[in-house]
Short mmCIF file of all heavy atoms in Angstrom, two decimals:
data_model
loop_
_atom_site.label_atom_id
_atom_site.label_comp_id
_atom_site.label_asym_id
_atom_site.label_seq_id
_atom_site.Cartn_x
_atom_site.Cartn_y
_atom_site.Cartn_z
N ASP A 350 26.24 -2.14 31.12
CA ASP A 350 27.06 -2.71 32.20
C ASP A 350 28.12 -3.65 31.64
O ASP A 350 29.15 -3.91 32.28
CB ASP A 350 26.18 -3.46 33.20
CG ASP A 350 25.33 -2.50 34.02
OD1 ASP A 350 25.64 -1.29 34.02
OD2 ASP A 350 24.34 -2.95 34.64
N GLY A 351 27.83 -4.21 30.47
CA GLY A 351 28.82 -5.02 29.76
C GLY A 351 29.33 -6.21 30.56
O GLY A 351 28.60 -6.84 31.32
N ARG A 352 30.62 -6.47 30.39
CA ARG A 352 31.26 -7.64 30.97
C ARG A 352 31.08 -7.73 32.49
O ARG A 352 30.99 -8.82 33.05
CB ARG A 352 32.77 -7.54 30.66
CG ARG A 352 33.54 -8.82 30.71
CD ARG A 352 34.99 -8.51 30.36
NE ARG A 352 35.12 -8.13 28.96
CZ ARG A 352 35.39 -9.02 27.99
NH1 ARG A 352 35.56 -10.28 28.29
NH2 ARG A 352 35.48 -8.62 26.75
N SER A 353 31.00 -6.58 33.15
CA SER A 353 30.91 -6.62 34.62
C SER A 353 29.46 -6.76 35.10
O SER A 353 29.21 -6.90 36.29
CB SER A 353 31.53 -5.36 35.21
OG SER A 353 30.95 -4.24 34.60
N GLY A 354 28.50 -6.71 34.19
CA GLY A 354 27.10 -6.82 34.59
C GLY A 354 26.55 -8.22 34.38
O GLY A 354 27.29 -9.17 34.10
N CYS A 355 25.20 -8.33 34.46
CA CYS A 355 24.59 -9.65 34.39
C CYS A 355 24.67 -10.28 32.99
O CYS A 355 24.54 -11.49 32.84
CB CYS A 355 23.13 -9.59 34.86
SG CYS A 355 22.09 -8.62 33.76
N ARG A 356 24.90 -9.47 31.94
CA ARG A 356 25.05 -10.05 30.60
C ARG A 356 26.44 -10.64 30.38
O ARG A 356 26.66 -11.38 29.44
CB ARG A 356 24.76 -9.00 29.52
CG ARG A 356 23.37 -8.38 29.53
CD ARG A 356 22.24 -9.36 29.34
NE ARG A 356 22.34 -10.20 28.15
CZ ARG A 356 21.83 -9.91 26.96
NH1 ARG A 356 21.19 -8.79 26.81
NH2 ARG A 356 21.95 -10.75 25.95
N ALA A 357 27.37 -10.25 31.21
CA ALA A 357 28.73 -10.81 31.20
C ALA A 357 29.44 -10.69 29.85
O ALA A 357 30.29 -11.51 29.50
CB ALA A 357 28.70 -12.28 31.65
N ARG A 358 29.06 -9.69 29.06
CA ARG A 358 29.82 -9.40 27.83
C ARG A 358 29.60 -7.94 27.45
O ARG A 358 28.60 -7.32 27.83
CB ARG A 358 29.42 -10.33 26.69
CG ARG A 358 27.98 -10.25 26.25
CD ARG A 358 27.64 -11.46 25.38
NE ARG A 358 26.22 -11.69 25.34
CZ ARG A 358 25.46 -11.45 24.29
NH1 ARG A 358 26.00 -10.98 23.18
NH2 ARG A 358 24.17 -11.69 24.33
N ASP A 359 30.52 -7.42 26.69
CA ASP A 359 30.44 -6.01 26.29
C ASP A 359 29.54 -5.86 25.07
O ASP A 359 29.59 -6.68 24.15
CB ASP A 359 31.84 -5.48 25.96
CG ASP A 359 32.69 -5.36 27.20
OD1 ASP A 359 32.11 -5.22 28.30
OD2 ASP A 359 33.93 -5.44 27.09
N PHE A 360 28.75 -4.78 25.09
CA PHE A 360 27.88 -4.46 23.94
C PHE A 360 28.39 -3.19 23.27
O PHE A 360 29.05 -2.36 23.89
CB PHE A 360 26.44 -4.23 24.41
CG PHE A 360 25.67 -5.51 24.64
CD1 PHE A 360 25.94 -6.30 25.75
CD2 PHE A 360 24.70 -5.93 23.75
CE1 PHE A 360 25.24 -7.49 25.96
CE2 PHE A 360 24.00 -7.11 23.95
CZ PHE A 360 24.27 -7.89 25.06
N ASN A 361 28.02 -3.03 22.02
CA ASN A 361 28.36 -1.85 21.25
C ASN A 361 27.07 -1.10 20.94
O ASN A 361 26.01 -1.72 20.84
CB ASN A 361 29.03 -2.28 19.94
CG ASN A 361 29.92 -1.20 19.39
OD1 ASN A 361 29.96 -0.08 19.91
ND2 ASN A 361 30.62 -1.51 18.31
N MET A 362 27.14 0.23 20.75
CA MET A 362 25.93 0.99 20.42
C MET A 362 26.12 1.79 19.14
O MET A 362 27.23 2.27 18.87
CB MET A 362 25.56 1.93 21.55
CG MET A 362 24.10 2.31 21.54
SD MET A 362 23.76 3.82 22.46
CE MET A 362 24.04 5.05 21.21
N ARG A 363 25.05 1.90 18.35
CA ARG A 363 25.07 2.67 17.11
C ARG A 363 23.80 3.51 17.04
O ARG A 363 22.75 3.07 17.49
CB ARG A 363 25.08 1.73 15.89
CG ARG A 363 26.35 0.96 15.70
CD ARG A 363 27.41 1.85 15.07
NE ARG A 363 28.67 1.16 14.84
CZ ARG A 363 29.65 1.08 15.71
NH1 ARG A 363 29.52 1.63 16.90
NH2 ARG A 363 30.77 0.45 15.41
N TRP A 364 23.86 4.70 16.43
CA TRP A 364 22.63 5.45 16.14
C TRP A 364 22.88 6.32 14.92
O TRP A 364 23.68 7.28 14.97
CB TRP A 364 22.18 6.31 17.34
CG TRP A 364 20.83 6.92 17.12
CD1 TRP A 364 20.53 8.25 16.92
CD2 TRP A 364 19.58 6.23 17.03
NE1 TRP A 364 19.18 8.41 16.72
CE2 TRP A 364 18.57 7.18 16.78
CE3 TRP A 364 19.22 4.88 17.13
CZ2 TRP A 364 17.23 6.84 16.63
CZ3 TRP A 364 17.88 4.54 16.99
CH2 TRP A 364 16.90 5.52 16.75
N ILE A 365 22.20 6.02 13.82
CA ILE A 365 22.42 6.76 12.57
C ILE A 365 21.28 7.76 12.34
O ILE A 365 21.38 8.62 11.48
CB ILE A 365 22.53 5.78 11.38
CG1 ILE A 365 23.58 4.70 11.67
CG2 ILE A 365 22.91 6.50 10.09
CD1 ILE A 365 23.68 3.62 10.61
N ALA A 366 20.18 7.63 13.11
CA ALA A 366 18.99 8.49 12.94
C ALA A 366 18.37 8.31 11.57
O ALA A 366 17.79 9.25 11.01
CB ALA A 366 19.31 9.96 13.22
N SER A 367 18.48 7.11 11.02
CA SER A 367 17.83 6.76 9.77
C SER A 367 17.43 5.30 9.90
O SER A 367 18.29 4.41 9.94
CB SER A 367 18.79 6.96 8.60
OG SER A 367 18.34 6.23 7.48
N MET A 368 16.11 5.06 10.02
CA MET A 368 15.67 3.69 10.27
C MET A 368 16.15 2.73 9.19
O MET A 368 16.51 1.58 9.46
CB MET A 368 14.14 3.66 10.36
CG MET A 368 13.61 2.33 10.82
SD MET A 368 11.83 2.19 10.57
CE MET A 368 11.46 0.83 11.63
N VAL A 369 16.15 3.21 7.95
CA VAL A 369 16.60 2.33 6.85
C VAL A 369 18.03 1.87 7.10
O VAL A 369 18.36 0.70 6.96
CB VAL A 369 16.48 3.06 5.50
CG1 VAL A 369 17.20 2.30 4.41
CG2 VAL A 369 15.02 3.23 5.11
N ALA A 370 18.89 2.82 7.46
CA ALA A 370 20.29 2.47 7.67
C ALA A 370 20.44 1.51 8.86
O ALA A 370 21.24 0.56 8.81
CB ALA A 370 21.12 3.73 7.90
N GLU A 371 19.65 1.70 9.91
CA GLU A 371 19.75 0.82 11.09
C GLU A 371 19.26 -0.59 10.73
O GLU A 371 19.89 -1.59 11.09
CB GLU A 371 18.90 1.33 12.27
CG GLU A 371 18.91 2.82 12.54
CD GLU A 371 20.08 3.31 13.38
OE1 GLU A 371 20.97 2.52 13.70
OE2 GLU A 371 20.07 4.53 13.70
N VAL A 372 18.14 -0.66 10.03
CA VAL A 372 17.60 -1.98 9.68
C VAL A 372 18.55 -2.68 8.71
O VAL A 372 18.78 -3.89 8.81
CB VAL A 372 16.18 -1.84 9.08
CG1 VAL A 372 15.72 -3.13 8.42
CG2 VAL A 372 15.19 -1.42 10.17
N HIS A 373 19.15 -1.91 7.81
CA HIS A 373 20.08 -2.52 6.87
C HIS A 373 21.27 -3.14 7.62
O HIS A 373 21.69 -4.26 7.33
CB HIS A 373 20.55 -1.48 5.85
CG HIS A 373 21.28 -2.10 4.70
ND1 HIS A 373 20.67 -2.93 3.80
CD2 HIS A 373 22.59 -2.04 4.33
CE1 HIS A 373 21.55 -3.35 2.91
NE2 HIS A 373 22.71 -2.83 3.22
N ARG A 374 21.79 -2.39 8.60
CA ARG A 374 22.91 -2.94 9.37
C ARG A 374 22.50 -4.22 10.08
O ARG A 374 23.25 -5.21 10.10
CB ARG A 374 23.38 -1.90 10.41
CG ARG A 374 24.63 -2.33 11.16
CD ARG A 374 25.00 -1.37 12.28
NE ARG A 374 23.95 -1.23 13.26
CZ ARG A 374 23.20 -0.15 13.42
NH1 ARG A 374 23.42 0.92 12.69
NH2 ARG A 374 22.24 -0.11 14.33
N ILE A 375 21.29 -4.22 10.63
CA ILE A 375 20.83 -5.42 11.35
C ILE A 375 20.68 -6.60 10.40
O ILE A 375 21.04 -7.74 10.72
CB ILE A 375 19.52 -5.09 12.10
CG1 ILE A 375 19.84 -4.17 13.28
CG2 ILE A 375 18.82 -6.36 12.56
CD1 ILE A 375 18.63 -3.59 13.98
N LEU A 376 20.17 -6.35 9.19
CA LEU A 376 20.06 -7.45 8.21
C LEU A 376 21.44 -7.96 7.80
O LEU A 376 21.62 -9.13 7.51
CB LEU A 376 19.28 -6.99 6.98
CG LEU A 376 17.76 -6.85 7.18
CD1 LEU A 376 17.12 -6.14 5.99
CD2 LEU A 376 17.10 -8.21 7.39
N MET A 377 22.42 -7.07 7.78
CA MET A 377 23.76 -7.48 7.33
C MET A 377 24.54 -8.21 8.43
O MET A 377 25.29 -9.13 8.16
CB MET A 377 24.58 -6.26 6.86
CG MET A 377 24.04 -5.59 5.60
SD MET A 377 24.07 -6.68 4.15
CE MET A 377 22.34 -7.01 3.94
N ARG A 378 24.38 -7.77 9.72
CA ARG A 378 25.25 -8.40 10.73
C ARG A 378 24.57 -8.59 12.08
O ARG A 378 25.23 -8.92 13.06
CB ARG A 378 26.53 -7.59 10.90
CG ARG A 378 26.34 -6.21 11.50
CD ARG A 378 27.67 -5.51 11.70
NE ARG A 378 27.54 -4.31 12.49
CZ ARG A 378 28.25 -3.21 12.31
NH1 ARG A 378 29.15 -3.17 11.35
NH2 ARG A 378 28.10 -2.16 13.08
N GLY A 379 23.27 -8.40 12.15
CA GLY A 379 22.56 -8.59 13.42
C GLY A 379 22.54 -7.33 14.25
O GLY A 379 23.19 -6.34 13.92
N GLY A 380 21.76 -7.38 15.34
CA GLY A 380 21.64 -6.21 16.22
C GLY A 380 20.19 -6.00 16.61
O GLY A 380 19.30 -6.73 16.19
N VAL A 381 19.99 -4.99 17.45
CA VAL A 381 18.63 -4.63 17.88
C VAL A 381 18.45 -3.14 17.64
O VAL A 381 19.34 -2.34 17.95
CB VAL A 381 18.41 -4.91 19.38
CG1 VAL A 381 17.02 -4.49 19.80
CG2 VAL A 381 18.61 -6.36 19.69
N PHE A 382 17.29 -2.77 17.08
CA PHE A 382 16.93 -1.37 16.88
C PHE A 382 15.70 -1.09 17.73
O PHE A 382 14.75 -1.87 17.73
CB PHE A 382 16.62 -1.11 15.40
CG PHE A 382 15.93 0.20 15.15
CD1 PHE A 382 16.66 1.37 15.02
CD2 PHE A 382 14.55 0.28 15.03
CE1 PHE A 382 16.03 2.59 14.79
CE2 PHE A 382 13.90 1.49 14.80
CZ PHE A 382 14.65 2.65 14.67
N MET A 383 15.73 0.02 18.47
CA MET A 383 14.58 0.36 19.32
C MET A 383 14.19 1.82 19.13
O MET A 383 15.03 2.71 19.27
CB MET A 383 14.93 0.14 20.79
CG MET A 383 15.11 -1.31 21.16
SD MET A 383 15.76 -1.51 22.84
CE MET A 383 17.51 -1.37 22.56
N TYR A 384 12.92 2.04 18.80
CA TYR A 384 12.32 3.35 19.03
C TYR A 384 11.07 3.04 19.86
O TYR A 384 9.99 2.88 19.35
CB TYR A 384 12.00 4.14 17.75
CG TYR A 384 12.31 5.61 17.99
CD1 TYR A 384 13.29 6.25 17.27
CD2 TYR A 384 11.65 6.30 18.99
CE1 TYR A 384 13.62 7.58 17.54
CE2 TYR A 384 11.97 7.62 19.26
CZ TYR A 384 12.96 8.25 18.54
OH TYR A 384 13.28 9.54 18.83
N PRO A 385 11.29 2.90 21.18
CA PRO A 385 10.24 2.34 22.03
C PRO A 385 9.19 3.38 22.40
O PRO A 385 9.35 4.57 22.14
CB PRO A 385 11.01 1.90 23.27
CG PRO A 385 12.13 2.90 23.37
CD PRO A 385 12.49 3.26 21.95
N ARG A 386 8.14 2.89 23.04
CA ARG A 386 7.16 3.80 23.63
C ARG A 386 7.89 4.69 24.64
O ARG A 386 8.77 4.20 25.36
CB ARG A 386 6.10 2.94 24.34
CG ARG A 386 5.01 3.73 24.98
CD ARG A 386 3.95 2.80 25.57
NE ARG A 386 3.09 3.57 26.45
CZ ARG A 386 2.74 3.21 27.67
NH1 ARG A 386 3.15 2.07 28.18
NH2 ARG A 386 1.96 3.98 28.40
N ASP A 387 7.54 5.95 24.69
CA ASP A 387 8.15 6.80 25.71
C ASP A 387 7.15 7.85 26.18
O ASP A 387 6.05 7.98 25.63
CB ASP A 387 9.48 7.43 25.24
CG ASP A 387 9.31 8.41 24.09
OD1 ASP A 387 8.30 9.13 24.07
OD2 ASP A 387 10.18 8.46 23.21
N SER A 388 7.53 8.56 27.23
CA SER A 388 6.59 9.51 27.82
C SER A 388 6.86 10.93 27.35
O SER A 388 6.30 11.88 27.88
CB SER A 388 6.68 9.45 29.36
OG SER A 388 7.97 9.84 29.75
N LYS A 389 7.71 11.08 26.33
CA LYS A 389 8.08 12.42 25.86
C LYS A 389 6.86 13.13 25.28
O LYS A 389 6.59 14.28 25.58
CB LYS A 389 9.16 12.27 24.79
CG LYS A 389 9.88 13.52 24.43
CD LYS A 389 11.03 13.15 23.46
CE LYS A 389 11.80 14.36 23.02
NZ LYS A 389 12.86 13.95 22.08
N THR A 390 6.14 12.40 24.43
CA THR A 390 4.91 12.95 23.84
C THR A 390 3.80 11.95 24.15
O THR A 390 3.55 11.04 23.37
CB THR A 390 5.06 13.11 22.31
OG1 THR A 390 6.37 13.61 22.04
CG2 THR A 390 4.03 14.05 21.74
N PRO A 391 3.15 12.09 25.31
CA PRO A 391 2.23 11.05 25.79
C PRO A 391 1.13 10.70 24.79
O PRO A 391 0.69 9.56 24.74
CB PRO A 391 1.66 11.64 27.07
CG PRO A 391 2.62 12.69 27.48
CD PRO A 391 3.29 13.20 26.24
N ALA A 392 0.75 11.67 23.95
CA ALA A 392 -0.35 11.38 23.03
C ALA A 392 0.07 10.41 21.93
O ALA A 392 -0.77 9.79 21.29
CB ALA A 392 -0.83 12.68 22.39
#
Side-chain angles (χ1 to χ4, degrees):
D350 289 345
R352 201 180 291 268
S353 52
C355 66
R356 300 299 306 269
R358 62 194 159 108
D359 291 335
F360 280 74
N361 205 354
M362 203 200 86
R363 290 282 181 271
W364 189 249
I365 308 175
S367 161
M368 188 193 197
V369 167
E371 319 276 5
V372 167
H373 192 66
R374 186 186 59 251
I375 288 171
L376 285 169
M377 294 298 108
R378 67 178 191 215
V381 178
F382 167 84
M383 291 171 275
Y384 218 116
R386 181 176 166 228
D387 66 36
S388 62
K389 194 173 179 181
T390 319

